[in-house]
Amino acid sequence: MASSYVPVLLLIAFVVANAALIIGLSHLTVRQRPTPEKQTPYESGIPPLGDARERFSVKFYMVAMLFIVFDIETVFMIPWGVGYRQLSCGVPLAGGSCPAGHLVWFGLGEMLVFMAILLAGFVYVWKKGALQWD
Amino acid sequence: MLLPASLPPMLQRIVDPQAPPADVGFFGPIGVPLIYTIVKLLIVFTVYMVGVALLTLAERKISAWIQDRLGPNRVIKGWGQPLADGVKNFMKEETLPDAANKPLFLLAPAMAFIPALTVWAVIPFAAPLPLRWGRMDMVLADLPIGYLYILALASLGVFGVVLAGWASNNKYALLGGLRSSAQMVSYEIAMGMSTVPILLLAGDVSLSTIVRQQEQNGWYVLTLTVACFIFIVSAFAETNRLPFDLPEAESELIAGYHTEYSAMKFSLFFIAEYANMVTASALMATLFFGGWTVPFWHAVNNAPWAWWKTAITLGAFLFKVLFFLFFYMWIRWTLPRFRYDQLMSLGWKILLPLTIGYVVVIAGATLGLDALGVPRTPWHGWPVYSLCLLALNIGLIGLLFVVADRGRLISPASARVRAAELARLRAVRQRSTLAHEATSGAGD
């Protein structure tokens, strides 16, 4: 099965080479005539005031942290989703479907517990005002 | 055609066109899989690059059409415009701000370009093509992890944007980069979760299985309508398109994260943006609209394969993708831009709880239908299972738009005014009407 990943590696190598080629070629073909004015950061025509790298709103950090938490929750849900049919069947699946009388609540119950924990965190974050942008 | 096992390797070139090429390893004696891969890679990459160029023209032409003006019509009646733009971008001088972080400034366009042009690898785009050397599957790599690969690479796109914003050392670029990264990560969660119901039904992350399932049991847009809706909304946000184009809101941030970029580096961002649009459209078509399959025409969607079947299914796939690309442009000139706090609250407070609830509903519904003994495969030619899910989805959509909305999102302007304010306005209006009547009456 490992050989099915070779095309992807080839593609990535090809695209990386293309990106390098485009950036490199445009560097070689174009004559640069830098002037001090041209090299200043663009600020709608006035001389730039101070540095751009100042402190920015803490909300962006909040979003980044929440993203990591919830993205990992999503990643956990994907294998559960794929295995859901087997998880809600007491015996091994026969031809992709569960033999009659063997359905179990395990798959759904497990995810409901997981979701309840996730939801508790979500409600806490919401009530704390972390999702409030004003 | 059966072949005796004793044939020398070179003669195995005459193989069954319906079967995949003889498994002699990827770089094996003949290397047919390698040749197939290179052919597909070059063709699709070229199609992407040319398609992106034509898409910029299409965007301007469709914008012009919607706004009742002409659009580009000079360079070969407008058709040469993408070529002219490309040549111009190659000839332009590139500026490099003194204050910028130079290695990162150079790296950022490549970081945006590379993920955008590699995501398509796992999307199947047509029926397999039978050839003399064995079957050519119309997907670059049918990875068993299919959809996970897309999620992983699509989330790399944010690095190019945030690096560009930071490395430019420009206030507009920094704000654009920050906004963009926050927006992309917020909607990525909704996008990832909205596809979990698909995995529940398909039971696999391989995109060819998902397409095959839809061919048998009906498109997922019918059985998972709410998920489709959420996916389309988040895909618009992920690609930074209107109504979610705050990262480059021209009226406030000049050009957002690529303000300091010019010439070919700007082009790389531009190509990446449009390539992301194409990929998102292809994903919508593949995940929810049956991929390359043609509805109600089982003969063309199934073996034995033939070249005309490949041609027809390729046409069907392109039609779906082009429709979604048109949809992108249509939406652009239909909806106004969101405010940033509205954007964030839509992502976190509406779409996220909605998707979580929807996953639970679909998981419960499939378990319930299994418990009732509804067969997953069509029963007497009727896809009963899908019809039950369709009915459920129609109910949910109704619930969503009629009950849960309560005039907040879809409402006349008067509904957004507080009741007391509305009463005051009505009283003022009544008084002025009375006064008007009184004065006009006196004039008679």
Side-chain angles (χ1 to χ4, degrees):
Chain A
M1 275 322 260
S3 71
S4 64
Y5 289 87
V6 176
V8 174
L9 294 179
L10 280 178
L11 174 67
I12 291 174
F14 183 71
V15 173
V16 168
N18 256 286
L21 190 75
I22 292 174
I23 292 181
L25 263 186
S26 71
H27 255 275
L28 291 179
T29 53
V30 178
R31 190 152 52 126
Q32 308 285 349
R33 291 195 201 87
T35 64
E37 286 73 30
K38 228 185 259 177
Q39 306 300 94
T40 50
Y42 178 73
E43 223 156 275
S44 303
I46 57 164
L49 285 170
D51 198 59
R53 287 175 193 156
E54 287 186 13
R55 291 187 297 171
F56 49 84
S57 175
V58 71
K59 287 166 204 147
F60 289 106
Y61 295 95
M62 287 301 298
V63 168
M65 289 195 313
L66 290 177
F67 163 70
I68 291 175
V69 175
F70 284 95
D71 205 41
I72 290 179
E73 316 265 25
T74 313
V75 170
F76 278 134
M77 280 164 82
I78 287 170
W80 167 78
V82 172
Y84 182 65
R85 226 178 283 181
Q86 179 61 70
L87 285 174
S88 50
C89 187
V91 292
L93 292 175
S97 59
C98 195
H102 287 287
L103 279 180
V104 288
W105 287 95
F106 177 68
L108 187 62
E110 188 188 40
M111 192 35 76
L112 283 179
V113 171
F114 183 69
M115 294 250 185
I117 299 169
L118 168 63
L119 218 61
F122 184 66
V123 169
Y124 174 77
V125 164
W126 192 328
K127 291 290 164 203
K128 265 286 184 194
L131 305 180
Q132 197 64 36
W133 202 266
D134 300 318
Chain B
M1 187 198 318
L2 276 176
L3 287 169
S6 58
L7 270 179
M10 279 313 284
L11 283 182
Q12 284 182 3
R13 298 175 68 163
I14 315 152
V15 288
D16 184 5
Q18 300 291 337
D23 190 16
V24 285
F26 202 80
F27 301 99
I30 306 166
V32 169
L34 182 68
I35 294 166
Y36 278 9
T37 299
I38 291 171
V39 166
K40 282 184 282 191
L41 197 159
L42 291 178
I43 289 178
V44 180
F45 186 82
T46 314
V47 167
Y48 248 86
M49 296 301 266
V50 174
V52 162
L54 287 178
L55 203 57
T56 61
L57 177 67
E59 169 112 51
R60 294 168 71 181
K61 272 291 184 190
I62 290 172
S63 303
W65 175 60
I66 290 176
Q67 297 180 327
D68 197 13
R69 51 190 176 83
L70 288 174
N73 64 349
R74 291 297 138 129
V75 192
I76 325 176
K77 294 202 182 295
W79 287 100
Q81 194 65 45
L83 191 71
D85 287 344
V87 171
K88 185 184 84 175
N89 273 339
F90 249 112
M91 295 302 170
K92 281 277 178 184
E93 177 182 351
E94 290 188 345
T95 55
L96 195 102
D98 278 333
N101 185 325
K102 290 193 177 60
L104 292 183
F105 189 81
L106 289 178
L107 186 65
M111 285 294 285
F113 179 80
I114 293 165
L117 269 289
T118 41
V119 177
W120 59 268
V122 291
I123 300 178
F125 47 87
L129 182 67
L131 289 174
R132 273 177 55 198
W133 307 277
R135 195 180 73 200
M136 187 196 248
D137 287 324
M138 284 300 175
V139 49
L140 186 78
D142 191 16
L143 296 187
I145 58 162
Y147 184 65
L148 295 178
Y149 170 85
I150 290 177
L151 276 187
L153 272 187
S155 60
L156 285 182
V158 73
F159 283 107
V161 170
V162 78
L163 272 184
W166 191 80
S168 304
N169 204 351
N170 174 312
K171 292 178 190 98
Y172 294 121
L174 182 73
L175 282 176
L178 281 177
R179 279 187 181 187
S180 181
S181 46
Q183 170 184 334
M184 281 164 93
V185 299
S186 300
Y187 281 80
E188 206 174 297
I189 297 169
M191 191 166 120
M193 278 200 188
S194 67
T195 47
V196 172
I198 294 182
L199 309 180
L200 283 174
L201 286 193
D204 199 351
V205 283
S206 151
L207 288 178
S208 28
T209 314
I210 290 174
V211 169
R212 182 57 47 200
Q213 288 272 342
Q214 293 183 73
E215 200 263 324
Q216 283 158 3
N217 301 325
W219 291 0
Y220 285 148
V221 66
L222 299 175
T223 47
L224 300 170
T225 320
V226 180
C228 176
F229 176 70
I230 296 168
F231 184 85
I232 290 179
V233 171
S234 348
F236 271 72
E238 282 288 298
T239 45
N240 293 335
R241 288 287 299 191
L242 267 160
F244 305 105
D245 77 331
L246 289 114
E248 44 198 290
E250 295 95 340
S251 45
E252 14 185 314
L253 287 182
I254 318 297
Y257 58 88
H258 54 60
T259 302
E260 288 294 347
Y261 284 90
S262 52
M264 233 25 228
K265 292 202 206 70
F266 167 76
S267 266
L268 283 184
F269 279 118
F270 212 67
I271 294 170
E273 211 163 282
Y274 277 86
N276 277 332
M277 261 172 73
V278 177
T279 311
S281 304
L283 267 184
M284 289 176 204
T286 307
L287 293 176
F288 293 100
F289 289 83
W292 50 264
T293 57
V294 184
F296 306 115
W297 195 3
H298 294 291
V300 82
N301 298 330
N302 288 295
W305 307 114
W307 66 268
W308 58 271
K309 289 182 178 178
T310 308
I312 288 175
T313 50
L314 184 65
F317 184 74
L318 286 180
F319 176 78
K320 289 170 191 175
V321 171
L322 288 178
F323 172 77
F324 283 112
L325 288 173
F326 175 72
F327 188 64
Y328 263 108
M329 291 161 197
W330 187 9
I331 291 287
R332 175 176 176 184
W333 298 110
T334 306
L335 297 178
R337 185 180 295 145
F338 273 79
R339 215 169 56 211
Y340 203 70
D341 61 318
Q342 292 172 329
L343 171 96
M344 289 315 245
S345 66
L346 177 68
W348 286 99
K349 293 182 179 173
I350 299 177
L351 291 186
L352 179 61
L354 199 65
T355 37
I356 294 177
Y358 191 65
V359 169
V360 174
V361 167
I362 289 297
T366 51
L367 194 65
L369 287 176
D370 280 344
L372 287 174
V374 181
R376 279 184 187 251
T377 44
W379 180 73
H380 290 298
W382 285 91
V384 187
Y385 201 88
S386 305
L387 288 176
C388 291
L389 284 175
L390 174 65
L392 175 75
N393 273 287
I394 290 173
L396 283 178
I397 291 275
L399 200 71
L400 205 67
F401 282 93
V402 181
V403 184
D405 183 49
R406 278 182 299 167
R408 261 180 301 181
L409 294 176
I410 307 161
S411 59
S414 65
R416 277 183 228 117
V417 183
R418 275 181 291 122
E421 180 71 10
L422 200 63
R424 197 185 67 81
L425 286 173
R426 285 214 179 104
V428 168
R429 188 185 156 80
Q430 203 170 13
R431 248 179 282 146
S432 66
T433 317
L434 283 177
H436 183 73
E437 273 173 15
T439 49
S440 57
D444 284 339

